[in-house]
Amino acid sequence: MHDMTLLQLIEDDFAPAQQLLELLQTESIALHGRDMPLLEDILARKQSLVILLDQQGRRRSELLASLGLSQDREGVVQLASHSQAGERLLQQLDALGKLLADCQALNAGNGQLIQIQQGATANQLRILMGGESPSLYDSRGSTSPLAKPRALSQA
């Protein structure tokens, strides 16, 4: 009975996990295009999916804990060893794990893209606001003092 409940909880996570993966792919495209309205919409939908997946994960953990099993893959393996649906349970768990790992990898890539864009934006703002001028090299190969204005021919 508990094995089928756990299996159902795992299978219930496939749809939101797949939606999350698709959202992360769309987010990557929106980040490249700097489409802010789309990114705001994606963020709201992404947060609701993450909350749903987190709640489902807690329900699975609570079920395993109520059976006196560890709340990780090992606990599922122990439950599966006493179940007729054990093989299917493990297959579905592994498939869900791969799907969530794909989401995590794509999210990490999107995070790196955001950091790169933030750095570029900060640099552009610094230039626009008249902040530090970039270090220039003179004809001798040494860096020029930042405070001293130079002729363009000496850059």
Side-chain angles (χ1 to χ4, degrees), residues 88-126:
R88 182 169 174 222
L89 184 62
L90 293 175
Q91 288 173 344
Q92 293 295 78
L93 181 66
D94 290 340
L96 180 61
K98 184 188 178 324
L99 185 57
L100 292 175
D102 291 346
C103 288
Q104 189 175 22
L106 193 50
N107 191 53
N110 288 349
Q112 288 177 338
L113 185 56
I114 289 169
Q115 288 179 338
I116 290 168
Q117 288 180 353
Q118 284 176 334
T121 301
N123 190 38
Q124 291 167 350
L125 285 172
R126 191 171 46 252

Side-chain angles (χ1 to χ4, degrees), residues 13-25 49 53 96 99-100 102-103:
D13 277 348
F14 277 102
Q18 186 62 44
Q19 289 174 6
L20 181 61
L21 182 65
E22 291 167 6
L23 267 179
L24 289 166
Q25 291 167 340
L49 288 171
L53 289 167
L96 180 61
L99 185 57
L100 292 175
D102 291 346
C103 288

Side-chain angles (χ1 to χ4, degrees), residues 22-96:
E22 291 167 6
L23 267 179
L24 289 166
Q25 291 167 340
T26 304
E27 181 182 50
S28 179
I29 293 167
L31 284 169
H32 280 92
R34 294 188 177 205
D35 186 346
M36 296 312 288
L38 179 58
L39 285 169
E40 289 174 7
D41 180 53
I42 288 170
L43 178 61
R45 293 181 11 215
K46 192 169 71 167
Q47 285 176 332
S48 66
L49 288 171
V50 168
I51 289 169
L52 176 64
L53 289 167
D54 183 55
Q55 289 171 345
Q56 288 289 90
R58 288 181 196 189
R59 289 177 62 195
R60 286 193 307 270
S61 293
E62 289 169 3
L63 177 64
L64 289 169
S66 72
L67 296 172
L69 300 171
S70 64
Q71 299 173 21
D72 55 8
R73 189 177 197 291
E74 194 58 41
V76 178
V77 168
Q78 288 176 340
L79 180 62
S81 69
H82 303 297
S83 170
Q84 290 181 350
E87 186 176 326
R88 182 169 174 222
L89 184 62
L90 293 175
Q91 288 173 344
Q92 293 295 78
L93 181 66
D94 290 340
L96 180 61

